Amino acid sequence: MLELTISQYNLVYNIFSFTFAAMLGSFVFFVLSRNNLAPKYRGAMVMSALVVGIAGYHYLRIFESWSAAFVLVDGMFIEEGVGFNDAYRYVDWALTVPLLVAELVAVIGLTGKKKGWLTFRLATAALLMVVLGYPGEIATTVSARAIWGAISTVPFVYILFVLFTEMNSALANQSEKVRPLFRNTRLLLLATWGFYPIVYMFPLFEITGAGVVVAVQVGYAIADVLAKCGYGFMIYNIAKIKSEEEGYVPGAAAVPAPAAGD
Ligand SMILES: *C/C=C(C)/C=C/C=C(C)/C=C/C1=C(C)CCCC1(C)C
């Protein structure tokens, strides 16, 4: 039976509330600022908005589930009834993680077959990673958690491999100004995505009970804000600079032809 102190319960409660607010705020920003971008980059912003919209909805449900899962008895929060539903998180990832990789490909400005194939491979690997991680997340033994975690790491490594090898040739075609932004976005992706398997491994260490539940929820929530909102802002920045470089003037009726060599 899970028992949390009042401050443990409140910490998670407040983090969920903060995360919902961050997703909602980002959603409004991405929708409103879409028109500052050249039309070819708007798709990336639509995907950013979808990601934080979908995640915002799920955080609301996670937040509700958390509130309903515990009762206060003698100064401790005791889990009762149907308990806390963690599945929302994986449903959310199954939808948002493929969109996040598609966003990055969209903002590079590849066209045609190359774009479609790259997006397909990255999005499929992302979906596989999430689907294969779930049985481990709900497993009741450490060994099952470790095995599913290891299997789920295969597509994860594949994604990183594609981003850090194949994508280099696409980056070589970007302007001086845009290239470091791409590198930073890719590093943010590596740092934040790398955080999920670490959080996932918490229960494999000695931490058990209330402490680990709190650490996992807080860890995933912070990673989600950085990997969805923070990342979306960086994608917006890249798209904005590229739009300007390509001569796009927000509000102008026609878009001038891109400069030679672009
Ligand atoms: C917005 C949500 C994001 C960016 C979620 C990303 C999730 C991961 C990178 C999860 C990776 C996992 C492994 C690599 C192994 C263990 C199981 C997972 C699913 C936690």
Side-chain angles (χ1 to χ4, degrees):
M1 175 73 67
L2 187 60
E3 264 191 50
L4 304 181
T5 65
I6 292 178
S7 46
Q8 281 175 327
Y9 175 87
N10 281 343
L11 176 62
V12 176
Y13 185 95
N14 291 332
I15 285 278
F16 286 164
S17 167
F18 162 79
T19 306
F20 173 66
M23 297 295 171
L24 193 66
S26 303
F27 178 79
V28 172
F29 178 85
F30 295 146
V31 168
L32 294 182
S33 55
R34 197 178 77 248
N35 291 335
N36 297 339
L37 306 175
K40 72 191 256 206
Y41 298 120
R42 287 181 195 165
M45 272 308 94
V46 171
M47 286 189 257
S48 292
L50 276 174
V51 165
V52 292
I54 293 168
Y57 162 74
H58 281 114
Y59 265 95
L60 192 61
R61 304 309 306 270
I62 290 174
F63 188 32
E64 280 174 356
S65 168
W66 183 261
S67 310
F70 297 89
V71 281
L72 187 58
V73 180
D74 294 334
M76 293 295 281
F77 276 100
I78 319 279
E79 192 174 22
E80 60 143 45
V82 288
F84 175 57
N85 182 356
D86 221 4
Y88 289 126
R89 198 178 281 294
Y90 273 78
V91 175
D92 178 69
W93 292 353
L95 296 167
T96 56
V97 177
L99 281 168
L100 286 168
V101 285
E103 245 176 72
L104 190 62
V105 178
V107 84
I108 294 176
L110 295 176
T111 46
K113 263 192 180 152
K114 229 173 150 183
K115 177 180 175 181
W117 180 228
L118 186 61
T119 307
F120 175 78
R121 281 181 300 152
L122 286 172
T124 308
L127 183 61
L128 269 177
M129 173 183 81
V130 174
V131 169
L132 294 170
Y134 186 62
E137 189 75 67
I138 56 168
T140 48
T141 63
V142 164
S143 58
R145 194 176 181 95
I147 290 166
W148 286 108
I151 299 174
S152 157
T153 304
V154 177
F156 179 60
V157 170
Y158 174 76
I159 295 170
L160 296 182
F161 175 78
V162 171
L163 290 183
F164 283 85
T165 58
E166 279 185 48
M167 217 169 246
N168 285 341
S169 60
L171 289 197
N173 301 327
Q174 308 287 323
S175 75
E176 291 287 330
K177 211 170 158 191
V178 163
R179 233 177 289 151
L181 287 175
F182 261 112
R183 287 209 199 93
N184 292 343
T185 307
R186 203 166 57 170
L187 285 178
L188 177 75
L189 191 148
L190 175 66
T192 54
W193 288 37
F195 201 57
Y196 292 88
I198 296 174
V199 172
Y200 179 91
M201 286 191 299
F202 286 168
L204 301 182
F205 305 137
E206 286 302 327
I207 344 171
T208 47
V212 77
V213 170
V214 172
V216 166
Q217 295 309 324
V218 172
Y220 282 154
I222 293 173
D224 277 347
V225 172
L226 294 172
K228 295 182 167 71
C229 310
Y231 175 85
F233 282 110
M234 292 185 77
I235 296 276
Y236 170 74
N237 251 328
I238 294 176
K240 182 94 171 55
I241 292 174
K242 289 184 77 165
S243 299
E244 282 161 11
E245 283 178 350
E246 289 163 22
Y248 176 74
V249 182
V255 184
D262 200 332

